[in-house]
């Protein structure tokens, strides 16, 4: 392979990423590196287009690299630790999907979990709930306990993506409402139609959910802990 660009070899996130705390007994998150995880990831997306049917844009290598350049975003490879029998720093065994943080604000102490992509063979297991739990702990725990001390972690979903909405609610997030006309979709993607004078591309609403620091300190952490400890 040719030389690896800086955003392909290191994390550019504007907050520290302590790998020692980004795991449970069965799942861990490691930085997503296109030169390590990219081929398998895109092969899965090609074989299972339903994985991205609710995303507002085509999840191409260019989009991933754009996110990796963005200091307000970070992407992780989700690793099912139960599928490996050795120590693989890059997690090429047990590679179960991707999860990340978007729109992270140091000023407002908030972020958004996304995208959340779980490969079919790992769906309906503990993998997604554990991955989300790891990020909730990382974001909402105070720095003294290995977290960022954020006050808000949000989650947005296509209104028709019932599974995504249920996942967020199961993890203790509260539904705040529907954000109307949040996305202009790529040409050819179905959505809400607009007249020609409103530009090209259909539109899309988003359901907004969130978790908050005060709920986290008053039972939210324990709720997530129970989910993580529950057997699949």
């Amino acid at each position: 392979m040719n030389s690896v660009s800086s955003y392909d070899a290191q994390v550019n996130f504007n907050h520290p990423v302590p790998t020692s705390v980004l795991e449970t007994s069965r799942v861990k998150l490691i930085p997503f590196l296109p030169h390590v995880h990219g081929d398998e990831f895109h092969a899965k997306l090609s074989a299972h287009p339903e994985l991205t049917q609710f995303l507002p844009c085509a999840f191409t290598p260019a989009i991933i690299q754009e996110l990796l350049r963005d200091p307000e975003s970070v992407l992780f490879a989700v690793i099912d630790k139960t599928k490996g029998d050795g120590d693989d720093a890059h997690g090429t065994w047990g590679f179960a999907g991707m999860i990340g943080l978007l729109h992270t604000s140091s000023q407002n102490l908030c972020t958004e979990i996304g995208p959340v992509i779980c490969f079919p063979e790992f769906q309906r297991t503990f993998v997604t709930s554990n991955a989300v739990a790891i990020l909730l702990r990382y974001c909402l725990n105070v720095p003294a306990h290995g977290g960022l001390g954020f006050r808000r972690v949000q989650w947005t979903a296509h209104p028709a993506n019932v599974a995504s909405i249920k996942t967020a609610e199961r993890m203790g997030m509260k539904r705040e409402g529907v954000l109307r006309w949040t996305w202009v979709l790529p040409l050819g993607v179905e959505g809400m139609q607009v007249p020609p004078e409103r530009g090209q591309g259909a539109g899309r609403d988003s359901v907004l959910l969130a978790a908050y620091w005060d709920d986290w300190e008053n039972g939210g952490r324990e709720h997530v802990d129970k989910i993580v400890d529950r057997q699949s």
Side-chain angles (χ1 to χ4, degrees):
M1 176 173 289
N2 295 331
S3 62
V4 178
S5 59
S6 61
Y7 55 83
D8 199 2
Q10 65 184 19
V11 176
N12 293 312
F13 193 42
N14 57 14
H15 289 81
V17 180
T19 55
S20 61
V21 302
L22 295 182
E23 63 181 317
T24 65
S25 62
R26 293 179 289 182
V27 171
K28 69 176 177 179
L29 307 184
I30 60 176
F32 183 95
L33 300 176
H35 73 283
V36 174
H37 307 108
D39 288 348
E40 183 176 354
F41 180 76
H42 292 295
K44 292 284 188 181
L45 296 193
S46 296
H48 300 279
E50 71 277 6
L51 292 173
T52 58
Q53 66 175 316
F54 292 117
L55 294 182
C57 60
F59 214 62
T60 62
I63 292 294
I64 289 177
Q65 294 192 355
E66 182 178 333
L67 290 174
L68 291 173
R69 292 189 186 101
D70 181 4
E72 295 183 355
S73 302
V74 62
L75 298 177
F76 297 101
V78 180
I79 307 301
D80 180 352
K81 294 162 61 175
T82 71
K83 299 299 185 183
D85 56 4
D87 183 13
D88 182 350
H90 291 309
T92 50
W93 47 259
F95 181 29
M98 174 193 284
I99 197 169
L101 297 174
L102 309 170
H103 315 304
T104 305
S105 172
S106 303
Q107 166 107 19
N108 294 313
L109 299 175
C110 63
T111 190
E112 177 177 336
I113 293 179
V116 181
I117 298 174
C118 184
F119 300 151
E121 60 267 38
F122 297 94
Q123 293 176 6
R124 297 178 180 84
T125 71
F126 54 82
V127 168
T128 296
S129 59
N130 274 240
V132 175
I134 291 167
L135 288 188
L136 287 173
R137 290 169 171 174
Y138 170 51
C139 293
L140 292 172
N141 282 343
V142 296
H145 295 153
L148 297 175
F150 283 179
R151 300 179 184 180
R152 173 186 175 87
V153 179
Q154 70 178 36
W155 178 292
T156 59
H158 191 295
N161 193 349
V162 176
S164 176
I165 296 169
K166 286 185 175 180
T167 294
E169 292 178 328
R170 185 172 66 252
M171 301 305 294
M173 293 188 170
K174 294 181 178 178
R175 191 184 305 215
E176 296 185 332
V178 177
L179 302 173
R180 299 195 61 201
W181 298 105
T182 50
W183 291 95
V184 174
L185 301 175
L187 294 179
V189 175
E190 293 185 5
M192 302 182 297
Q193 297 303 308
V194 297
E197 61 268 23
R198 293 293 178 180
Q200 294 184 324
R204 202 203 89 176
D205 295 343
S206 296
V207 177
L208 177 65
L209 307 98
Y212 324 100
W213 76 271
D214 44 353
D215 287 350
W216 184 253
E217 298 291 348
N218 290 281
R221 181 190 293 109
E222 290 74 16
H223 172 76
V224 167
D225 289 346
K226 288 179 181 178
I227 292 174
V228 170
D229 293 338
R230 187 180 304 152
Q231 294 297 317
S232 60

